[in-house]
Amino acid sequence: MKRTVPLVLVFSTALMLIVAFFIPHRPFGDLESRFLNWYTIVSGFTFLLGIDSLTRHHLTRVFRRGQGWGYSLVLVLALFGTMALGFYSWFKFQSPFALRAPFMWLYTYMIIPLQSTMFASLAFFIVSAAYRAFRIRNFAATLLLVAAVLVMIGNVPLGGSIWRSIGALVHAIVPAVDLVKFGRLEAFAAVKDWLMSIATASAMRGIGIGLALGGIAMSLRIILGIERTYMS
Amino acid sequence: MLTLPGLLLAAIVGLMPPASLKAVDAPNDQGQSIILTWTAPEGESVPVTGYTILRSCAPDTGFAEVGTEPAATSEYTDNDVIDGTKYWYAVQVKSGADSARSAAVGPVTSKAQWFNTARVNILVVTVVICGLFFYYLQRARKGAKMYIRKIAGLDAIDDALGRATEMGKPILFSFGLGYITDMVVIAALPLLRKIAKKSAEYSTRLIVPNSDPIVMTAAQETVKEAYTEMGRPDFYNPDNVTFLTSDQFGYAAGVDGIILREKPGAIFWFGYFYAESLIMAETGHSVGAIQLAGTTETTQLPFFVAACDYTMIGEEIYAASCYLRPEPIMLGTLKGEDFIRFWLIVLVTATVVLGTVAAVLSKQAPVLNQVFETVVRWATPAY
């Protein structure tokens, strides 16, 4: 019973949503948005579970003086400090997001810069990952390196400048070569476009089609109760 | 810009009303909307500044404004109507202070449709795909032998766990920013179960930081159940499967902090990841962890391929549960998927060939182009 009822619920809900996709008439037409509303309400309440887990975990570490308890103390203070400022701003300015509210100050001058810093650090991680990925170890890695270099050169104005320099060099050796026509070719940009819109796009579409089919198979396994791990 | 002849003509002829006004019930919807279309006044020499939509429940009187549209528009959807009520519409064209009203059209009523005809193609494909799945499920039930290829990433899980245990380091598992409604998170739960079982067997600590409270609850239950199944319920510590934050870069910073403090020997990135994927995977690499990843987010796959030791690409993560539980019924769904994929490749190739031939022979055989366009139009889903 403990297993059958959830399975019946999953099956009937999925069936209703599939039917609703093809039938716009009420009561089916707006079923999806109704279910989404319910999901939003339920997930809103589950955030209490999350906050409970977070505070319990870090307070325990602080009280037991566990490894890195100082970080936990900062986290707990920041969490309750933010909440206190939010409530204060609510009472004082009728909204925590009012321009002069302390909560908004915290959001604008602390949270956004911290998020931006994390995002900016991505550039350094890209460089270190690219260094490892583009090392010439085998034919595939060499192909990847060549393609990456071409895409990078094709994407920046420097690519055009390099191409025109090559044109000038060719023109100096073979004067019959028309410099203007040669420059118009913009070979790096053309190669970059081809790599991005043909080679990469076809691989991505292949993965995308596989994902869609995998998703359908997975959905059927869940709807039919073959896949039940989410109920553990 | 208004020319002198135009000004003279406007002064003589006056402003013309919009032409070809049509009002129809919006198709394939749940009612309560009527669509109006018209064409701009023909031969108009004064600049149109906009249109006013007028509606009445009688053909001759009681027209009131229900909306306005800019000059460049020739369509309006009235979403404020009651199903079954008769309406008449007129459109008034405006040019500065001047205006001209079209003749009223109607009556038109709105109603909800019982079938979305624009989705017939999706229905046909759904029926075919489901039929094939059920066919292979039946074959699997009857005991037909199914061959499936190996996935290197799955085989590497045991090696990674063994290595972490030998080094006396913990294991880290992350679902990324996925919600329980994401298919990839559901697909990753059996992987967490397998890893949790091994962690109980080897007595290696498993850390699962979460960005969603519902996923956290599912992860806690999965780990707890796996430990109990292995006869080690005492090994379960809820502090190891915790909530961090639902904020994207806050989560990345939190996971990075855990990696740098705990220095895990093996890290598993199975779930939904965005730009934070590389930040976390590179941090994992910096502490020397063996890393396995799998996501359905195609934009993040290159990052994982670059930073991790093994990456499950595309639908491999969906297939993982079938590999972990290789029952005939699970393999049957995999086989069905492979069969459909084969026929999709055949169909896409045939359409590409047809399109190419149609383009080459567009003058000699225009019918080929029509066939190609019909196929493409039919295959394009309407949402």
Side-chain angles (χ1 to χ4, degrees), chain A residues 21 115 128 132 221 226, chain B residues 30 119 247 282 321 325 333:
Chain A
F21 184 77
Q115 283 180 328
S128 67
R132 287 193 293 126
R221 284 200 289 270
I226 300 168
Chain B
Q30 48 181 307
R119 290 175 177 169
D247 179 80
E282 272 300 283
S321 58
R325 196 153 64 94
T333 58

Side-chain angles (χ1 to χ4, degrees), chain A residues 5 23 41 43 50 66 82 100-101 118 121 123 166 172 176 188-189 203 211 221:
Chain A
V5 172
I23 300 178
I41 293 165
S43 63
T82 308
R100 283 165 46 242
M118 277 304 287
S121 69
I166 294 171
F188 291 123
L211 276 172
R221 284 200 289 270

Side-chain angles (χ1 to χ4, degrees), chain B residues 165-189:
Chain B
T165 308
E166 279 171 15
M167 294 168 82
K169 291 180 172 183
I171 305 156
L172 190 134
F173 186 103
S174 170
F175 290 103
L177 300 177
Y179 299 105
I180 202 74
T181 43
D182 292 323
M183 200 80 72
V184 67
V185 172
I186 296 175
L189 279 168

Side-chain angles (χ1 to χ4, degrees), chain B residues 240-311:
Chain B
N240 288 332
V241 189
T242 53
F243 176 73
L244 273 188
T245 169
S246 55
D247 179 80
Q248 182 185 14
F249 291 110
Y251 180 74
V255 173
D256 277 1
I258 292 171
I259 292 172
L260 292 172
R261 283 193 301 276
E262 306 282 353
K263 297 199 168 33
I267 302 178
F268 300 95
W269 308 108
F270 292 133
Y272 218 86
F273 295 88
Y274 297 95
E276 77 289 347
S277 64
L278 191 63
I279 296 174
M280 300 194 297
E282 272 300 283
T283 310
H285 172 76
S286 73
V287 298
I290 183 164
Q291 298 190 97
L292 276 77
T295 184
T296 51
E297 192 57 23
T298 48
T299 50
Q300 301 308 315
L301 275 173
F303 287 150
F304 277 141
V305 171
C308 296
D309 299 279
Y310 292 97
T311 306

Side-chain angles (χ1 to χ4, degrees), chain A:
Chain A
M1 194 69 176
K2 198 181 161 191
R3 290 248 160 193
T4 315
V5 172
L7 283 177
V8 169
L9 276 174
V10 167
F11 181 78
S12 49
T13 309
L15 202 67
M16 273 195 283
L17 282 172
I18 292 168
V19 168
F21 184 77
F22 296 105
I23 300 178
H25 203 287
R26 283 170 200 273
F28 298 102
D30 56 352
L31 262 186
E32 196 181 338
S33 58
R34 282 189 199 198
F35 282 155
L36 271 177
N37 285 343
W38 274 106
Y39 177 75
T40 310
I41 293 165
V42 172
S43 63
F45 278 104
T46 58
F47 263 89
L48 293 173
L49 275 179
I51 293 170
D52 172 63
S53 156
L54 189 75
T55 43
R56 202 185 287 259
H57 172 70
H58 288 283
L59 282 175
T60 312
R61 190 184 274 178
V62 170
F63 289 131
R64 288 184 186 162
R65 293 286 192 275
Q67 191 195 4
W69 67 272
Y71 297 115
S72 293
L73 184 66
V74 170
L75 187 138
V76 172
L77 289 176
L79 178 71
F80 286 106
T82 308
M83 274 171 73
L85 282 181
F87 282 120
Y88 173 75
S89 306
W90 199 1
F91 287 121
K92 177 94 177 167
F93 298 90
Q94 280 76 52
S95 162
F97 299 104
L99 279 179
R100 283 165 46 242
F103 180 83
M104 199 57 193
W105 186 91
L106 189 81
Y107 183 75
T108 313
Y109 297 108
M110 289 191 80
I111 297 174
I112 291 179
L114 282 169
Q115 283 180 328
S116 306
T117 308
M118 277 304 287
F119 187 62
S121 69
L122 183 61
F124 299 99
F125 288 113
I126 286 175
V127 172
S128 67
Y131 170 73
R132 287 193 293 126
F134 296 154
R135 268 179 309 175
I136 301 174
R137 290 161 295 180
N138 49 38
F139 176 70
T142 314
L143 210 61
L144 189 70
L145 174 69
V146 172
V149 168
L150 285 171
V151 168
M152 280 191 277
I153 292 176
N155 251 334
V156 292
L158 184 68
S161 175
I162 294 171
W163 182 249
R164 281 188 291 280
S165 304
I166 294 171
L169 193 70
V170 173
H171 182 70
I173 300 163
V174 188
V177 172
D178 189 337
L179 207 57
V180 179
K181 279 185 184 171
F182 196 89
R184 271 194 210 131
L185 273 176
E186 283 291 356
F188 291 123
V191 169
K192 183 265 299 181
D193 286 343
W194 184 88
L195 281 171
M196 297 297 281
S197 58
I198 307 289
T200 312
S202 53
M204 295 287 264
R205 275 181 201 147
I207 295 172
I209 290 169
L211 276 172
L213 282 175
I216 293 169
M218 186 78 189
S219 308
L220 278 175
R221 284 200 289 270
I222 293 169
I223 293 169
L224 298 174
I226 300 168
E227 177 72 69
R228 302 171 185 188
T229 37
Y230 64 94
M231 294 202 313
S232 58

Side-chain angles (χ1 to χ4, degrees), chain B residues 41-53:
Chain B
E42 277 175 28
E44 195 55 68
S45 51
V46 287
V48 171
T49 51
Y51 298 97
T52 305
I53 317 300

Side-chain angles (χ1 to χ4, degrees), chain B residues 208-248:
Chain B
V208 189
N210 293 282
S211 67
D212 180 70
I214 304 181
V215 176
M216 177 196 75
T217 316
Q220 282 177 337
E221 290 301 314
T222 304
V223 174
K224 203 191 290 182
E225 213 170 86
Y227 285 176
T228 310
E229 238 175 79
M230 296 304 289
R232 295 291 310 275
D234 57 302
F235 196 57
Y236 177 70
N237 178 0
D239 276 355
N240 288 332
V241 189
T242 53
F243 176 73
L244 273 188
T245 169
S246 55
D247 179 80
Q248 182 185 14

